[in-house]
Amino acid sequence: MIEEGSKRGKAMVEKRQLFMEMRAQNFDVIRLSTYRTACKLRFVQKRCNLHLVDVWNMIEAFRDNGLNTLDHNAEINVSRLETILSSIYYQLNKRLPTTHQINVEQSIGLLLNFMVATYDSEGHGKLTVFSMKAMLATMCGGKIVDKLRYVFSQISDSSGVMVFAKFDQFLREVLKLPTAVFEGPSFGYTEHSVRTCFPQQKKILLNTFLDVLMADPPPQCLVWLPLMHRLANVENVFHPVECSYCRSESMMGFRYRCQQCHGYQLCQSCFWRGHANGPHSNQHQMKEHSSWKSPAKKLSHAISKSLGCVPIGEPPHPVFPEQAERPQELTHTVQPKPVANNMNDTMLMSSGAPTPTKSVLESPSRLDEEHRLIARYAARLAAEAGNSTQQCPPTDLSFNFDANKQQRQLIAELENKNREILQEIQRLRLEHEQASQPTPEKAQQNPTLLAELRLLRHRKDELERRMSALQESRRELMVQLEGLMRLLKDEEQKQSQSGGSPHSSPSHGAGCSMPMPIRSTSAGSTPTHTPQDCLAGVGGDVLEAFAQGVPRNLRNDLLVAADSITNTMSSLVKELHSVDDGAEEEETNMRNGGDRGTVRAQKH
C-alpha cells in the first residue's frame, strides 16, 4: 500500500511538473492572447523535445507502429501510447549527434502526461488514434506547409476533396491544445469554427485548403499555429537596433516598428507587455519584422522591385497538383532528410558539431529557393499572359483560361521533376554510405584467414597440452632424482665404513646427453629402498648400472639429465610464445582489415 501511494504521488508530481515550469515562465504577462498561446505551446514543444522531431519522421513513426491501418476513432491505451512515444524518441537519439543526445525517459514522461491531461481529462486511460495524430503532427518540428498537407490527407476523401465532418473533428482535437495551456476562452472550439474557416460551402481541394490556413491573417481559431512556427524561426534572429522603451542596444526575436511614430521600434518583450512611452500609444498600428535589412539592402531591394526584377507578391506556399492526396500514405511526396529547426541548426553550428543536413540540395533554404524560383517563373508567365490578354479582344476568354491551365501544368511538371531529382540524390547518398561502411559480414568472406587462424589456435592448444605434460614429467623426474641421490649417498657411506673405495665407472662427458626419460604412470610415486622399484621408468644407463649390482657415480649424469630436461622445457616455452605472437599478429591484421567481430567470435 505504501509503494502504491508513493507511485501515485510521483505520477501526480510528474503530471504537474510541465505546467509548473510553464507558469514559472510568467507567460501570462503577455497582453495579446495570440502571442501568449503561441509562447506557451512553443515552451511545451521545446520542453518535450518535439521541436527536434521532423514531421516526416513523425509520419514514419505512425507507419512503423501500424497507426495508418487503424480507424481514426479506434482507441489505444496509455501503455501503447508510451511505446509509440518511446520509438519516436529513441529514433531521434539515433539521428542526433552524440553531443546533443536527449533524456529519453524524461521526454517520454513529460509528453505522455501532457497528452493524457489534454485528451483524457476524464481519466479513461485511452486516446483515439486521430487525436494522437493531430496533436503530434501539430506539435512536432518541420514546416507548416508539410504539416497541413499531412492533415489534409487525413481529412480528405479518395478524390482529394476535403470532408467537412473530418475537418470539424480535426478542429475539435487541435483546439484542445490552447485549452490545455489555459487559453480556452480565446481559442476554444465552437460549433461555428468550421464556418469561420470556410464560410461558403464549396469543393475544398488541397491548394484552397493551404490558401485559407496559410493566409495573412489565417482563420481566427488557428491564428496561433503559424505564429508558433514564426517564433521558432526568429528565436536567434539578431536586430542591431535600439529599443525605444527599454533602451536595449540590440533585439533578439521579433522587432516591431510603429507605422505612425517615425523611428519608434520596440523589442518583442516590450511590445508583448504593452509598454509605450513618449508620443507612442498602444493603439498605434505596429508592423512585425522577423529579419533585419540594412539601409543599403533596402535601397537595392526597392530598386529591383521598381524595375520588375522582384515579384510583387509571392504565394504563401507552392502550388501542388490537383490530384488526390492519398490518406495516411503520402507515398508520392518527397520526404526530405529530417532537419531540425533554425534554433537547433544554430546551436549545432555554434558548437562545431555537424549539422543533420549533408547536402545543400536538401537544406530547407535550398527548397525555399526552388519554390521561390518556381513562383517567380509562374508570376512572369502570368504577366506575359496578362499582356497578351490585353492585346486580344475582350471576348476571347477561353485563351486566358487555357493559359492559366498550362501554367498550372508547367508548375506541376517542374515540381515533379524536382522531386525526382531529390529522390535520386537521396538514393545515391544512401548507396554511397552503405558501400563505405564496413559490415560484419565481410569478416566471413575470407575463409583463408579464418582457416589460418583456426590452425594457429589448434597448434597453440597442442603446445599447451605438451608443455603441461612435460611439466608433470619434470616434476616426477625431480622426485626420482632426489631418491636416487639419497641412495647413492647411503651407498657411499656404507663403502666408506667398510673401508672400501667406491667402484666408479667412466662418467659421460659434459657434451653428452642422456636419453629422454619416459613419463611414469603414477604421478605421486615416491622412491623406496629397493633400487629396482625406484628406477621404474628411468633411462637405460641408470637401470644398467643398478642392475649389475655395482653402483656407478651417476651424480654428474643425473645433473646433465636435469639440465637436458630444463633446456627442452625452455625450447618448448619459446616455441609456444612464438605461436602466441603469430596468433596475436594475425588477429591485429584481421582487426585492421575490418574483421574484428569474427576474431572475437573465434576467440570465444
Side-chain angles (χ1 to χ4, degrees):
M1 294 295 293
I2 298 176
E3 293 181 357
E4 292 181 359
S6 62
K7 289 182 180 179
R8 291 178 182 176
K10 184 179 180 180
M12 291 297 294
V13 171
E14 291 178 351
K15 186 177 295 185
R16 297 174 181 174
Q17 179 182 355
L18 185 62
F19 296 100
M20 293 173 63
E21 293 179 0
M22 185 177 63
R23 284 195 178 96
Q25 299 295 320
N26 201 17
F27 291 123
D28 291 330
V29 300
I30 302 176
R31 63 187 183 94
L32 299 176
S33 61
T34 304
Y35 287 97
R36 192 166 58 244
T37 305
C39 288
K40 289 181 179 180
L41 292 178
R42 174 64 179 168
F43 172 80
V44 174
Q45 183 190 47
K46 292 176 63 177
R47 189 65 182 86
C48 297
N49 289 313
L50 277 176
H51 65 293
L52 302 176
V53 184
D54 193 83
V55 62
W56 298 111
N57 299 124
M58 193 64 72
I59 297 173
E60 192 66 26
F62 293 160
R63 296 176 184 170
D64 293 341
N65 289 276
L67 298 180
N68 58 329
T69 60
L70 298 177
D71 186 76
H72 283 175
N73 297 323
E75 293 183 341
I76 58 175
N77 53 24
V78 177
S79 61
R80 184 175 181 186
L81 176 61
E82 185 176 3
T83 303
I84 296 171
L85 298 182
S86 301
S87 66
I88 293 173
Y89 283 116
Y90 279 113
Q91 289 296 325
L92 171 63
N93 254 358
K94 292 180 181 179
R95 296 188 299 270
L96 291 177
T98 54
T99 55
H100 293 84
Q101 297 288 304
I102 65 171
N103 189 339
V104 174
E105 298 298 331
Q106 184 182 21
S107 301
I108 294 172
L110 290 175
L111 182 56
L112 182 65
N113 290 326
F114 179 75
M115 293 182 68
V116 171
T118 304
Y119 294 100
D120 188 30
S121 57
E122 298 180 358
H124 296 301
K126 294 182 179 180
L127 280 75
T128 62
V129 173
F130 188 72
S131 62
M132 188 192 65
K133 284 184 176 181
M135 186 271 175
L136 293 178
T138 304
M139 294 294 291
C140 67
K143 296 181 179 180
I144 186 173
V145 62
D146 295 331
K147 294 182 181 181
L148 294 177
R149 289 183 66 189
Y150 175 70
V151 170
F152 186 82
S153 70
Q154 303 296 301
I155 62 175
S156 59
D157 56 15
S158 58
S159 60
V161 180
M162 188 189 77
V163 180
F164 277 87
K166 292 184 178 180
F167 179 68
D168 181 73
Q169 185 182 4
F170 168 73
L171 289 181
R172 288 176 184 269
E173 302 299 337
V174 79
L175 291 180
K176 290 180 181 179
L177 293 173
T179 305
V181 293
F182 315 107
E183 296 296 334
S186 301
F187 299 104
Y189 172 79
T190 62
E191 296 179 356
H192 306 287
S193 298
V194 177
R195 292 305 168 199
T196 58
C197 298
F198 301 100
Q200 300 178 0
Q201 258 187 345
K202 56 183 179 180
K203 184 179 180 181
I204 306 299
L205 299 177
L206 174 61
N207 291 306
T208 307
F209 179 78
L210 296 177
D211 290 338
V212 172
L213 295 188
M214 297 183 65
D216 189 15
Q220 181 60 30
C221 61
L222 295 174
V223 69
W224 53 269
L225 181 58
L227 179 58
M228 186 177 70
H229 288 78
R230 294 205 308 274
L231 280 174
N233 294 329
V234 302
E235 282 181 345
N236 296 286
V237 174
F238 176 77
H239 305 271
V241 182
E242 182 183 9
C243 179
S244 300
Y245 183 84
C246 66
R247 299 302 176 184
S248 176
E249 296 181 356
S250 61
M251 302 181 188
M252 294 292 293
F254 285 119
R255 174 171 56 91
Y256 298 91
R257 183 166 56 88
C258 182
Q259 301 296 298
Q260 299 182 20
C261 303
H262 178 70
Y264 192 90
Q265 302 189 78
L266 293 176
C267 63
Q268 67 177 17
S269 179
C270 294
F271 176 75
W272 289 355
R273 286 161 176 78
H275 295 162
N277 59 349
H280 178 70
S281 172
N282 289 330
Q283 304 302 323
H284 293 180
Q285 183 179 3
M286 303 289 287
K287 184 176 181 181
E288 181 184 277
H289 294 273
S290 58
S291 62
W292 163 255
K293 290 183 181 179
S294 63
K297 191 173 182 180
K298 290 181 181 178
L299 179 61
S300 62
H301 183 78
I303 294 175
S304 301
K305 188 175 181 180
S306 62
L307 295 177
C309 299
V310 179
I312 297 175
E314 295 184 358
H317 65 86
V319 180
F320 295 98
E322 295 295 346
Q323 289 87 2
E325 292 275 328
R326 296 184 181 180
Q328 301 178 354
E329 289 292 334
L330 295 177
T331 54
H332 65 291
T333 59
V334 179
Q335 297 187 11
K337 187 175 182 62
V339 295
N341 53 27
N342 295 338
M343 182 205 66
N344 189 38
D345 291 344
T346 305
M347 178 179 64
L348 294 180
M349 291 173 64
S350 64
S351 63
T355 55
T357 52
K358 295 183 179 179
S359 176
V360 180
L361 294 176
E362 297 174 356
S363 61
S365 59
R366 176 75 182 191
L367 296 177
D368 293 340
E369 183 65 21
E370 291 172 354
H371 291 319
R372 283 196 291 269
L373 290 174
I374 294 172
R376 188 180 302 173
Y377 185 65
R380 186 179 300 173
L381 291 177
E384 293 177 358
N387 295 332
S388 62
T389 306
Q390 293 177 1
Q391 296 176 1
C392 295
T395 56
D396 193 6
L397 298 178
S398 61
F399 177 77
N400 189 16
F401 178 76
D402 294 338
N404 291 333
K405 186 176 181 181
Q406 291 177 359
Q407 292 170 12
R408 288 261 180 159
Q409 292 178 354
L410 180 60
I411 292 172
E413 292 176 0
L414 290 174
E415 291 207 343
N416 289 331
K417 188 65 177 178
N418 183 33
R419 293 188 184 97
E420 293 176 359
I421 293 173
L422 289 176
Q423 285 178 341
E424 184 67 18
I425 291 173
Q426 188 175 8
R427 184 184 63 82
L428 292 175
R429 190 190 72 252
L430 291 175
E431 290 180 357
H432 177 70
E433 291 179 354
Q434 293 175 358
S436 61
Q437 293 179 356
T439 57
E441 287 77 8
K442 291 182 179 180
Q444 302 177 1
Q445 297 176 2
N446 198 340
T448 304
L449 294 176
L450 294 178
E452 293 178 0
L453 181 62
R454 196 176 294 109
L455 182 62
L456 287 173
R457 291 295 178 190
H458 183 66
R459 177 63 175 166
K460 179 182 178 182
D461 295 338
E462 288 182 354
L463 290 175
E464 287 179 350
R465 289 193 297 269
R466 184 179 175 187
M467 181 178 178
S468 61
L470 287 175
Q471 286 178 348
E472 185 66 24
S473 299
R474 182 173 181 271
R475 188 184 66 81
E476 295 175 359
L477 285 175
M478 293 302 293
V479 172
Q480 294 178 5
L481 286 173
E482 185 180 0
L484 290 175
M485 293 295 292
R486 190 181 298 109
L487 291 175
L488 287 174
K489 187 175 180 180
D490 295 341
E491 188 66 25
E492 288 178 356
Q493 291 177 357
K494 291 179 181 180
Q495 292 286 343
S496 62
Q497 291 176 0
S498 61
S501 60
H503 191 80
S504 61
S505 63
S507 61
H508 295 282
C512 299
S513 61
M514 293 182 66
M516 192 79 178
I518 302 174
R519 183 180 178 182
S520 176
T521 55
S522 59
S525 62
T526 55
T528 59
H529 294 286
T530 306
Q532 286 77 9
D533 296 335
C534 66
L535 294 176
V538 186
D541 292 340
V542 177
L543 184 62
E544 181 181 358
F546 282 94
Q548 294 175 358
V550 182
R552 298 171 58 187
N553 189 7
L554 298 179
R555 183 187 301 271
N556 294 332
D557 295 338
L558 294 174
L559 293 176
V560 169
D563 291 339
S564 176
I565 294 172
T566 304
N567 293 333
T568 305
M569 291 293 299
S570 300
S571 63
L572 285 175
V573 171
K574 290 180 180 179
E575 185 177 357
L576 180 61
H577 285 318
S578 65
V579 173
D580 290 338
D581 294 339
E584 291 178 357
E585 183 178 1
E586 186 67 24
E587 290 177 3
T588 305
N589 294 334
M590 294 185 70
R591 287 194 189 99
N592 295 333
D595 297 329
R596 182 179 300 173
T598 307
V599 172
R600 289 179 178 174
Q602 292 293 334
K603 278 187 177 182
H604 293 300

